[in-house]
Amino acid sequence: MAGGAAVAVSTREKLERARRASTSLAQLSTSQKDALLLKIADALEKHSNKILRANDEDVQRSNLAGAMRDRLLLTPERIAEVAAAVREVATLADPVNQVLEEWTRPNGLLIRKIRVPLGVVGIVYESRPNVTVDAAVLCLKTGNAVVLRGGKEASASNQILAEIMAGVDGIPAEAIELLDSSSRDTVQELIRARGLVDVVIPRGGPGLISHVMENALVPVIETGAGNCHIFVDESADFEMANRIILNAKTQRPSVCNAAEKLLVHTAVAAKYIPQIARKLTDAGVELRGDAETRRIAPGVQPTKEQDWSEEYLRLCMAIRIVSDVDEAIEHINRYSTKHSEAIVTASQINADKFLRKVDSASVYWNASTRFTDGGEFGFGAEMGVSTQKLHCRGPFALKELTSTKYQIKGTGQIRE
């Protein structure tokens, strides 16, 4: 059952229950899991008014503004999108028990490598109630129990969402556990529960992620901040560049795949920067830039060193002029959070160099960084975007929520 029952249940008890539930979940067939997911989607839509009331309570109580309020806010359209994503996950291939490799040794042993659930997955996240659903359904599809520890600003939203999902007929008891968000102690208990929790995923700002990484005893999959860059090369089509930059910056500035920095080749800077600056300003974007950018486009505010590494998460963008693609790559690899970067160019050579040398999880040629998303990649919902290199990188979902094991079949062989 989800957290928040009338009789108080300790974090330790919830983790132990999730561990027991993981055994049952691992035995569910694909058809059983998909049927449960479809029931969850129906239940979310059926109880949308309850969800909206709880969310309104959170929004009013939180007094959040700007990007943080947008992350917390649920609307009828967003609930419909969440339900649609759940149904999409139900249509995806089940990675559990997938045979990855199989071979026979000279002694006759048949060795098979298959995917298996991780077990108990903990996720610590800030005030984004859609993550409550995304995490639960992805874990259910992969046969994992999930322990959710959301932000206190979304406590009412998370509570009702967890109750709706856990209340679906057929969901194994205690498969979805929600921890108390009013105390930081629950985060510490979760991330140090070695033996009960198999992996923890922190999803949120740099402070939250750093705290989990520095204090966890449980293995961690790090989801990173998004200081994302777009480089306009000297051969770029300006109309294309305008569309890409405006989309990447303004479509939803509060998310981690929104572009924060714009690099422009010096050969086209004088012609291109004034026009893109006007378009961005007209869209409400605050602009900052280096000295040469400010000379070309008066009204742009000066940058400080910290601007180049900051994730704004709002309508703000910093512009820098670079001498060539190599300097653009050098700048990105120095300041980027290794999330998503893009080049706009007609040059195959420069595009290939950029794609090869930029050290980020997702690197684009002539496309918006806003596509770094599990749904856009065809994964359905996602647990987050990993900016580390182990055990997964980029948008991660079903396959990344599995481990592997070897099954070995013999006919009485012994080792000499």
Side-chain angles (χ1 to χ4, degrees), residues 207-372:
L208 181 151
I209 293 169
S210 296
H211 175 80
V212 172
M213 294 295 294
E214 292 167 7
N215 291 278
L217 296 179
V218 173
V220 176
I221 299 175
E222 179 181 0
T223 63
N227 183 30
C228 304
H229 297 71
I230 296 177
F231 169 51
V232 177
D233 196 16
E234 61 180 328
S235 63
D237 179 294
F238 288 178
E239 291 292 329
M240 179 191 293
N242 290 343
R243 292 195 306 273
I244 289 172
I245 293 164
L246 287 167
N247 175 261
K249 179 69 262 182
T250 69
Q251 193 220 16
R252 196 173 180 190
S254 64
V255 293
C256 60
N257 57 22
E260 307 286 34
K261 307 298 180 295
L262 174 60
L263 307 178
V264 180
H265 195 292
T266 185
V268 296
K271 184 175 181 181
Y272 183 66
I273 287 179
Q275 69 167 270
I276 190 59
R278 284 194 299 271
K279 291 180 181 296
L280 288 167
T281 300
D282 289 346
V285 180
E286 173 193 346
L287 294 179
R288 304 176 184 183
D290 60 9
E292 184 62 16
T293 295
R294 298 197 311 277
R295 186 187 67 79
I296 293 171
V300 174
Q301 299 300 308
T303 54
K304 299 177 182 179
E305 177 61 24
Q306 70 184 44
D307 279 295
W308 302 119
S309 56
E310 183 177 350
E311 181 188 27
Y312 295 130
L313 295 175
R314 63 186 189 279
L315 288 174
C316 182
M317 192 171 218
I319 305 173
R320 181 177 180 181
I321 297 171
V322 295
S323 58
D324 54 23
V325 66
D326 293 307
E327 187 180 352
I329 293 168
E330 180 182 1
H331 176 97
I332 291 169
N333 286 342
R334 176 179 177 184
Y335 292 105
S336 169
T337 53
K338 315 301 183 185
H339 193 293
S340 301
E341 330 296 341
I343 182 173
V344 185
T345 184
S347 168
Q348 174 86 47
I349 293 174
N350 285 352
D352 287 344
K353 179 183 288 189
F354 190 89
L355 294 172
R356 186 175 67 253
K357 290 190 173 183
V358 168
D359 184 22
S360 292
S362 299
V363 189
Y364 294 84
W365 176 16
N366 291 344
S368 171
T369 58
R370 285 284 288 115
F371 287 105
T372 304

